[in-house]
Amino acid sequence: MENNIHLPKTNFGKLQEYLREFVYGGIDGAVTTFAVVAGGFGANLNPGILIILGLANLLADGFSMSVGAYLSAKSEGDNFGKHEKIEYWEIENLPEMEREEIATIYRKKGFKGELLENIVNHICSDKDLWVAEMMKDELGMMRDSKSPFKIGLATLISFVLVGFIPLMVYLYDFFFPTDLNIFLWTSILTGLAFMIVGWLKGIVNQTSKLRSVSETLGLGLLAAVVAFYVGDLLESFFM
């Protein structure tokens, strides 16, 4: 039974830690690029121009989003480090006050008497454990083991990888002209991408896979419809 519980972590390994970033980066990439494609289609743009707009948007937004994810994670880590240093200083310089804070925390959890005293003595005998308890229970902060750089990288890779899907058929048709309904096939492939990413989103959030897939598809469809009609409106206004 224990082996079954830990199986998913074994399969995903370290990559599982960054699955959340991959999922949300992929959703943003697909939604953003498909919206550009739908808007360009609605405006009757030349496929070559649409490809240029799509690729420029894909790379620029992907880079921007990954930098934002990196800076956000780094800022949280720096903030944690700052408060951690403050707690170490307080333990060194105000030990009695900090000890009483530990006692108060565990008293609120229902511990009392000799058991409470033993717990407080145990925690306060180890400075690292003491600080960790103060960070978690007093400040509600826990250190994120994930690398900010890898968070940004996972976001960039997923954004570009999944966001490239709405452009695939257009690029193929540009180099190898066909009689395919390009926008239809683009919509089908993008819909499949939304379904896969939505399923992964259900895993990350530990929610219903069907609901997650439906929400992701709905989001993509809504973005495409809005972009299409905006493009159509602007085309009729300016052209």
Side-chain angles (χ1 to χ4, degrees), residues 159-190:
F159 191 101
V160 173
L161 188 65
V162 183
F164 181 71
I165 292 174
L167 296 171
M168 286 173 57
V169 182
Y170 278 90
L171 278 169
Y172 181 85
D173 185 74
F174 183 81
F175 290 106
F176 308 101
T178 66
D179 294 326
L180 293 174
N181 185 324
I182 304 175
F183 186 70
L184 174 62
W185 280 101
T186 295
S187 300
I188 292 172
L189 288 177
T190 306

Side-chain angles (χ1 to χ4, degrees), residues 20-32 57-73 148-149 151-160:
R20 178 179 295 275
E21 285 73 27
F22 186 89
V23 166
Y24 287 101
I27 290 174
D28 282 349
V31 169
T32 303
N57 176 81
L58 180 66
L59 296 176
D61 279 6
F63 179 75
S64 175
M65 186 176 177
S66 65
V67 168
Y70 164 78
L71 291 176
S72 176
F149 174 77
I151 286 175
L153 183 62
T155 302
L156 176 62
I157 290 173
S158 63
F159 191 101
V160 173

Side-chain angles (χ1 to χ4, degrees), residues 104-177:
T104 300
I105 288 170
Y106 278 86
R107 196 176 291 117
K108 289 180 179 178
K109 293 182 179 182
F111 295 95
K112 54 186 178 181
E114 186 178 350
L115 179 57
L116 174 63
E117 188 67 22
N118 289 338
I119 290 173
V120 172
N121 288 337
H122 173 71
I123 291 173
C124 295
S125 66
D126 184 332
K127 287 184 180 179
D128 293 334
L129 176 60
W130 194 349
V131 169
E133 287 292 314
M134 296 298 291
M135 293 295 292
K136 178 171 67 73
D137 290 315
E138 183 188 32
L139 302 178
M141 300 175 69
M142 295 185 69
R143 184 184 296 278
D144 191 346
S145 62
K146 295 187 289 188
S147 159
F149 174 77
K150 290 180 180 178
I151 286 175
L153 183 62
T155 302
L156 176 62
I157 290 173
S158 63
F159 191 101
V160 173
L161 188 65
V162 183
F164 181 71
I165 292 174
L167 296 171
M168 286 173 57
V169 182
Y170 278 90
L171 278 169
Y172 181 85
D173 185 74
F174 183 81
F175 290 106
F176 308 101

Side-chain angles (χ1 to χ4, degrees), residues 32 46 91 131 168 194 219:
T32 303
N46 180 282
I91 285 173
V131 169
M168 286 173 57
F194 279 131
L219 175 65

